[in-house]
Amino acid sequence: MTFVELLVALTIISIGMLAFTSSFRFITHSIRDSRAKSLALSLAQEKVENLKNTPYHKLQITTDVVTYSDVSPAQVCDSVNYPPETIKVGGITYTRCVYVGLTRVTDHEVTELSALYPDSGLKWVEVAVMWDQRGERKKLSLNNLHENPNVQPLNATLQGVVRDASGNAVANAVVTVLDKADWSDTTDAAGSYLIQVNEGSYFLKASSAGYFDAIYSSVTLTEAQSLSTSFALIPIATGTISGNVFYSSHIVFSQIVVATNTRVGDAADPLAMADVEYIQLFNPTTYTFNWNQSTSWQPVYFYYYHPETGSTEHGYWDMNAIAVRESTFIPPNKSYLISNASWFMMGDQWVRSDAHYGIANNWLVDNDAGGLSMYQAWSWELLDMVGWADDDTTWPGYWEGTPISSSTCADGLGAGNFLMRYSSPTTMSPNGFYAAAYDTGNNAIDFYGPHVACPAGVAHPLLKWDGVGAATRPFSTFDSTQSVIGGIPAYSALVTANDLIGGSTNAYRANAVNSFGQTQPYARFALTGVSTGTWTVLVATRQYYSLISSVTVPALSGVSVPNAVTSPAWAGTNVHVVRTTQVAVGGYVNGLVRNSGGTPLSGISVIAGGYPVTTGANGRYFAAVANGSISVVINANYANSTYQEYSTLVDLEAGELLTVNADLSQRGVVMGYITSDGSSVLPNIQVTASRNNQQFGAATSDSSGNFYFRNLSTGDYQVEPTLDPLEIWTPSSAPAHVVAGQSIHVGTFVVTGAQGRISGTITVNGALVTSGALILITTGTLSSTPPAIIASSAPAQSVIYSGSSKADGTYEIEVRGSTSTSYRVSAYVPVISGLSVSISTKTYTGVVVYSTGTTTKNITIP
C-alpha cells in the first residue's frame, strides 16, 4: 500500500470508530434510562398495592400537601398521612409520594370531591415516583381506585304529597325510589312522604290499593337539596270476566241404539234391511285412547246388563271377540263406533263402524231396561256408566246418578229409539257439530232419551228413525273432530287474571233450563274488580287448567270468555265455555299481603316454590308452582325494607290451590354511633343484635360512624360491636327494645384500638434488601423455610402475620398488642447464585408489641 492509501484507510477506520463510540454511548444511556424507569414503575406498583391492601376506612384522605414544581406537570403529594419517601435503588435516588382523594363517578367520569364531603365510597389513590436523569427531573405516576360498596351517604331529600285525581290526600301510599329498595316511605294521613337520598337522578313510584301506579321519571337532586315531588294517582277502573267452565278426564258413552231397521253394507243386496245396534263412544280428553290393544288383553272392560235375566250379558269377552277392528285408537275430540254392522245407512248417509261383531249378533235387547259400564282393565277404575229403565220400573243394573226413565209410550229403549248425551246443559247436537260430552255423573240429566211423555202408541219424533230418512247419524273416527262445549262441571274451579287487581274467585253451581224443560247444572264464574286492559285469565281445577290470553276488559262493564278475539277463541258464536284441558304438573298458591293495620301492600315480592311473583295493587298474588313440600317467602330478603319477612312451608297436591296470607309488621330501626375517642368517627365496624345468644341482625357503621338495623322484628335485643378479642370497647353491649315503626338510639360505643406494629429494616451482608423479603410473625415456631398453610389444618395452627419488605429495605406489619406474649419475627430472603436459588433466613424471639404502639426490630442477615 502506498502512503496515501494508508492515510485514506486510517481516515475511514477513524470515522467508523467515532460513529461506533457515539452509538455505544447512546445505547448505554437508553439502557440506563429504561432501567431507571422500570425501577420507578416497580416502586409505584409496590406502593399502590400496599395502599389497596389497607382497609378502606384506614386509607386516610390527603388534607395537607406538598407540591413538587420541578416536574411537569407539578406533583401534589400528601405531606402528613403518607409523607414522601427517599429510596435509593440501583444507584438511583428516588422520591416516592402519595395522594389520596375522595371521588365519585359522574357520567362515566371520576371527579374529585372535597375532603369534607360525605364519604362517597370511592377513594382515588395516586403514587408518584420522581428521579434525576442526566440533568433532567423525571416523573412516573400510577392511579387506582379503592371502593367501599357499603357506603351510601344520604345528603339530599325527596318529599311531597300523594293525592287522588280529585286532590284528596291518599294515606298509606308507598313511595319508592326505583332500584333502591331501602329508599321508600309510606304516606301519613295528610298524604305526605319524606325520603333521604344521596344526590343523583332517580325514578320514583307511588303505589296504593285501588289506584294505578304513578311513575315520576328523571328526578335530579344536588348535594343538600330538598326537592318536592307530588303524585296524582288515578283510580283503577274495573270490569268483570265471566264464563262457564268444564273439564274432562275420561272417555264417555255418547249415543246408544239397541235396534234400528236400516240398510246395511254387510249383506250382498245393497238394498237389504237389517236391525242394527251400536254404541258410540267419545274422547273429550287431550290424549289418544286405546281401548283394545290386542286380542288377548284389553285395557278396557265393557259390560252390558240385561235386567230381565238379572245378569251381565255380553261382557268384555264378547267385545274381545269382535271380528273386525278397523282401529282401537280413539283420538282426542273424536267418536268411536262399535256396531254389529260394518256399514249401515243412517240419516241418508253411509256410516262406517270402527269395530263390528257381525250383523247376525243382536246383543242389545230392545223394549227393555238395560245398562252399560266401562272400566279401566288394570285398575278397575270406572270410566263411565249409562242405564235406562222401562215402564215397569225395572232397574238397569248399571247407571250413574239416576237411570234414564221411560215414558208411557216406550217400554225401555225400543227399536228406533236412541239415547244421546247432551253437548252442553242447553244443547243437543244431532248433526254432530258439537260433541256429546256433557257429564254431570247423572244419566237422567246428561242424556236425552225416551223420558218425554207422549200419547200412548205414538213415538216421539226426535227419538225414532224410519231407517232411511233419519234426522241424525252416529259418528266414528272416520269422521272429523267435533267441537267440545261441555264436560264435567268444574265446581269450585279457581279463576284469576294476571292484572292482580281483581284477586281470584271460584266457579259456582248454576242451573239452566233447556228447550225440553230439563233443569241442567253447570259451573259458572264471574271474576269482578279486574282492571281495564288486556289480560290473561287462568282457570284451574283439580290437575287441569287453561290459560286464555287477549282478554280485554272494558271499564264498568264485563266480558265473557272465551270469545272471538281471545286465544283460544270460542268453539262457536256466543259459546263462552272454558275447558281446562292442560294437565298441571303442580298446584297453585295465592294470597293477600297486608300491613299490621289491614291495608293491602302492593309490590311485595313473593317467592313460592322458587317462583318469584309480586303482589298487585290490592295486595294479592298468584303463583303456579310444583307440587310437594314448598316454601312460601313473602317480602323475601326484606326487599321492602319497611316490613318484615314472612315464610312458611306448605304441602301441595297436584292441581290443589292453597291460600297463604300474611300480615307484615313494620320493622323497627335501631341506630347507634361508633367512635375511637368520643369525638372521632370509626367507620366500617360491624355491630350485631342478638337475643338469647342468637344473632338476629348485623349492621356496619358508615362514614359518619353511625350504624342502623332495619331488619329486626319487635322484641328485646342486645347490641354490641364485633371486634378483635383484644380490642376494648365500652359499653360492652346495649339493650334495645324494638317497637314496630319506631326508631331507637342505643347510644355510643367507644372502641380503643388493641393493634400494634412491628417495623424496621432488613439487610444482607450490610446492604439493604431492595428486591423484597418475606416477613412472618407468630407466637409459635417456624421452620427454616416458609411453612405450608393448608385450609383443613389452619384453624389449629398459631396465627401468622405476614408481609413483605419494601423496595427501600424497610417493612411494617400490624399485629395484636400484648403485654404477656412475645412474638417470633422471621425473615426469608431469596438468594440467586447462578442457576440455583437458596433462601437465607433469620429469626428473632422475644419481640414485645404494645397496643397502639410500634416496636422497631431491624433484621440483619447473617
Side-chain angles (χ1 to χ4, degrees):
M1 295 179 62
T2 64
F3 181 72
V4 173
E5 290 173 332
L6 182 61
L7 289 176
V8 171
L10 290 173
T11 301
I12 293 173
I13 293 172
S14 299
I15 293 173
M17 291 297 293
L18 184 61
F20 175 76
T21 302
S22 178
S23 298
F24 180 78
R25 181 182 179 187
F26 175 78
I27 292 172
T28 302
H29 285 167
S30 297
I31 292 173
R32 291 183 60 187
D33 293 348
S34 177
R35 176 171 174 269
K37 189 173 183 179
S38 295
L39 290 173
L41 179 61
S42 296
L43 291 172
Q45 289 176 331
E46 177 190 66
K47 192 64 174 181
V48 168
E49 290 302 317
N50 178 266
L51 295 172
K52 288 276 288 183
N53 289 331
T54 302
Y56 177 88
H57 68 276
K58 290 187 176 182
L59 184 62
Q60 302 178 58
I61 296 174
T62 297
T63 55
D64 296 291
V65 300
V66 57
T67 301
Y68 291 88
S69 303
D70 54 350
V71 292
S72 181
Q75 181 65 42
V76 178
C77 301
D78 193 307
S79 61
V80 176
N81 298 325
Y82 307 100
E85 305 168 90
T86 300
I87 305 171
K88 188 172 184 180
V89 181
I92 303 173
T93 301
Y94 294 94
T95 299
R96 183 171 67 182
C97 66
V98 173
Y99 182 87
V100 179
L102 189 64
T103 63
R104 68 179 176 189
V105 178
T106 306
D107 295 329
H108 307 290
E109 292 186 0
V110 178
T111 305
E112 185 175 359
L113 304 172
S114 166
L116 301 178
Y117 191 86
D119 192 357
S120 63
L122 195 65
K123 293 178 181 178
W124 169 275
V125 178
E126 181 178 8
V127 176
V129 178
M130 296 162 283
W131 72 99
D132 290 323
Q133 182 173 296
R134 290 184 286 115
E136 183 181 358
R137 194 66 172 165
K138 294 290 185 179
K139 182 185 79 168
L140 181 146
S141 63
L142 292 180
N143 304 315
N144 213 313
L145 295 172
H146 200 350
E147 182 185 15
N148 180 8
N150 297 319
V151 171
Q152 195 174 37
L154 306 179
N155 58 355
T157 303
L158 282 168
Q159 59 184 335
V161 179
V162 179
R163 299 183 175 89
D164 61 19
S166 301
N168 300 314
V170 178
N172 295 315
V174 178
V175 181
T176 306
V177 179
L178 297 183
D179 298 327
K180 300 287 186 181
D182 285 341
W183 294 357
S184 65
D185 191 26
T186 302
T187 59
D188 58 20
S192 300
Y193 73 92
L194 186 146
I195 306 173
Q196 293 294 129
V197 301
N198 58 16
E199 59 180 301
S201 297
Y202 306 103
F203 288 80
L204 301 180
K205 181 179 77 171
S207 304
S208 184
Y211 298 89
F212 286 108
D213 290 348
I215 304 295
Y216 205 105
S217 61
S218 193
V219 177
T220 301
L221 299 95
T222 59
E223 180 183 356
Q225 182 183 5
S226 179
L227 182 65
S228 179
T229 304
S230 296
F231 295 87
L233 300 184
I234 300 174
I236 297 174
T238 62
T240 301
I241 300 174
S242 60
N244 304 331
V245 56
F246 298 90
Y247 73 97
S248 299
S249 59
H250 55 80
I251 59 175
V252 295
F253 293 110
S254 58
Q255 189 178 147
I256 300 166
V257 169
V258 297
T260 184
N261 193 258
T262 186
R263 297 188 180 96
V264 296
D266 299 60
D269 182 1
L271 299 178
M273 304 288 286
D275 284 339
V276 174
E277 63 185 35
Y278 59 82
I279 301 169
Q280 178 181 299
L281 310 177
F282 182 75
N283 180 9
T285 70
T286 57
Y287 54 89
T288 297
F289 199 91
N290 184 6
W291 72 271
N292 189 3
Q293 293 180 343
S294 69
T295 58
S296 60
W297 179 78
Q298 291 174 267
V300 173
Y301 289 163
F302 289 92
Y303 290 96
Y304 167 62
Y305 184 84
H306 184 207
E308 294 296 333
T309 62
S311 63
T312 298
E313 297 183 359
H314 308 297
Y316 73 90
W317 48 87
D318 289 324
M319 297 298 180
N320 196 48
I322 292 174
V324 178
R325 300 180 187 84
E326 302 293 345
S327 171
T328 62
F329 292 95
I330 312 177
N333 299 339
K334 277 199 171 188
S335 295
Y336 189 91
L337 188 62
I338 304 172
S339 175
N340 63 342
S342 59
W343 291 82
F344 56 94
M345 177 71 74
M346 196 65 66
D348 288 332
Q349 299 180 46
W350 282 102
V351 177
R352 183 180 180 183
S353 300
D354 292 292
H356 53 91
Y357 44 86
I359 195 66
N361 296 315
N362 294 105
W363 290 341
L364 305 181
V365 180
D366 62 346
N367 296 315
D368 209 341
L372 289 166
S373 62
M374 182 168 39
Y375 291 87
Q376 199 83 43
W378 56 81
S379 64
W380 282 100
E381 176 188 357
L382 174 65
L383 297 177
D384 197 22
M385 287 195 301
V386 58
W388 56 94
D390 59 13
D391 57 356
D392 56 6
T393 65
T394 301
W395 290 98
Y398 301 125
W399 70 88
E400 285 183 334
T402 303
I404 303 166
S405 63
S406 178
S407 68
T408 57
C409 58
D411 184 12
L413 190 59
N417 296 156
F418 74 100
L419 298 178
M420 176 176 283
R421 186 182 289 272
Y422 283 101
S423 298
S424 75
T426 59
T427 305
M428 188 180 72
S429 184
N431 61 6
F433 182 79
Y434 293 125
Y438 177 61
D439 185 11
T440 66
N442 190 331
N443 293 160
I445 292 175
D446 299 338
F447 282 87
Y448 180 80
H451 51 271
V452 179
C454 56
V458 179
H460 194 285
L462 292 180
L463 303 182
K464 187 174 179 63
W465 293 275
D466 60 5
V468 178
T472 188
R473 51 156 290 192
F475 295 88
S476 68
T477 60
F478 300 105
D479 296 298
S480 300
T481 58
Q482 297 169 280
S483 297
V484 181
I485 60 172
I488 303 172
Y491 306 127
S492 300
L494 170 73
V495 184
T496 189
N498 66 345
D499 75 319
L500 290 178
I501 295 295
S504 62
T505 190
N506 295 99
Y508 57 92
R509 180 183 176 120
N511 293 303
V513 178
N514 63 23
S515 59
F516 304 111
Q518 288 179 282
T519 299
Q520 309 286 79
Y522 64 98
R524 176 80 176 164
F525 66 85
L527 180 63
T528 60
V530 183
S531 60
T532 56
T534 300
W535 314 107
T536 295
V537 176
L538 169 72
V539 183
T541 180
R542 298 179 179 246
Q543 70 268 38
Y544 304 98
Y545 74 98
S546 179
L547 289 172
I548 307 166
S549 60
S550 302
V551 179
T552 300
V553 179
L556 306 177
S557 183
V559 60
S560 296
V561 294
N563 53 49
V565 297
T566 60
S567 179
W570 54 21
T573 303
N574 295 324
V575 179
H576 306 296
V577 171
V578 178
R579 295 187 64 236
T580 55
T581 56
Q582 296 172 270
V583 178
V585 296
Y588 312 93
V589 178
N590 73 348
L592 172 64
V593 180
R594 307 179 303 178
N595 63 19
S596 55
T599 301
L601 298 176
S602 65
I604 299 295
S605 67
V606 179
I607 301 177
Y611 297 91
V613 294
T614 304
T615 60
N618 66 344
R620 297 189 178 275
Y621 70 92
F622 179 88
V625 300
N627 61 297
S629 181
I630 66 167
S631 65
V632 179
V633 184
I634 299 175
N635 198 29
N637 298 317
Y638 306 98
N640 186 319
S641 60
T642 306
Y643 297 96
Q644 285 298 317
E645 177 185 274
Y646 172 83
S647 64
T648 185
L649 286 174
V650 296
D651 292 321
L652 191 65
E653 300 291 337
E656 183 183 8
L657 169 69
L658 285 179
T659 298
V660 178
N661 298 326
D663 290 338
L664 303 183
S665 60
Q666 283 188 292
R667 295 186 289 169
V669 178
V670 175
M671 63 184 70
Y673 181 68
I674 305 288
T675 178
S676 59
D677 55 11
S679 59
S680 301
V681 301
L682 195 56
N684 282 357
I685 299 298
Q686 188 179 45
V687 185
T688 61
S690 303
R691 180 193 299 164
N692 298 326
N693 296 320
Q694 183 177 3
Q695 181 176 316
F696 280 79
T700 303
S701 60
D702 59 19
S703 60
S704 61
N706 293 301
F707 62 85
Y708 303 89
F709 291 95
R710 295 187 175 92
N711 58 352
L712 296 177
S713 59
T714 58
D716 294 317
Y717 299 88
Q718 287 295 320
V719 179
E720 61 180 328
T722 301
L723 298 167
D724 186 284
L726 295 180
E727 301 269 27
I728 301 171
W729 64 93
T730 55
S732 59
S733 64
H737 179 69
V738 179
V739 178
Q742 295 186 10
S743 296
I744 305 167
H745 199 287
V746 297
T748 299
F749 290 96
V750 179
V751 179
T752 303
Q755 300 292 98
R757 289 179 173 83
I758 300 177
S759 64
T761 60
I762 178 169
T763 58
V764 175
N765 297 323
L768 291 171
V769 175
T770 59
S771 58
L774 175 65
I775 313 296
L776 300 181
I777 303 174
T778 182
T779 58
T781 58
L782 294 173
S783 60
S784 59
T785 58
I789 299 176
I790 303 173
S792 60
S793 60
Q797 297 178 356
S798 301
V799 175
I800 300 176
Y801 301 92
S802 65
S804 61
S805 63
K806 305 175 185 178
D808 61 353
T810 63
Y811 74 93
E812 183 179 73
I813 299 176
E814 191 174 53
V815 299
R816 293 179 184 174
S818 174
T819 58
S820 59
T821 304
S822 60
Y823 287 100
R824 288 182 172 86
V825 179
S826 297
Y828 302 86
V829 181
V831 178
I832 301 175
S833 178
L835 298 178
S836 63
V837 178
S838 61
I839 296 178
S840 296
T841 183
K842 185 69 172 285
T843 298
Y844 293 87
T845 61
V847 180
V848 177
V849 180
Y850 298 97
S851 298
T852 70
T854 299
T855 299
T856 300
K857 174 52 66 175
N858 296 324
I859 301 173
T860 302
I861 302 176

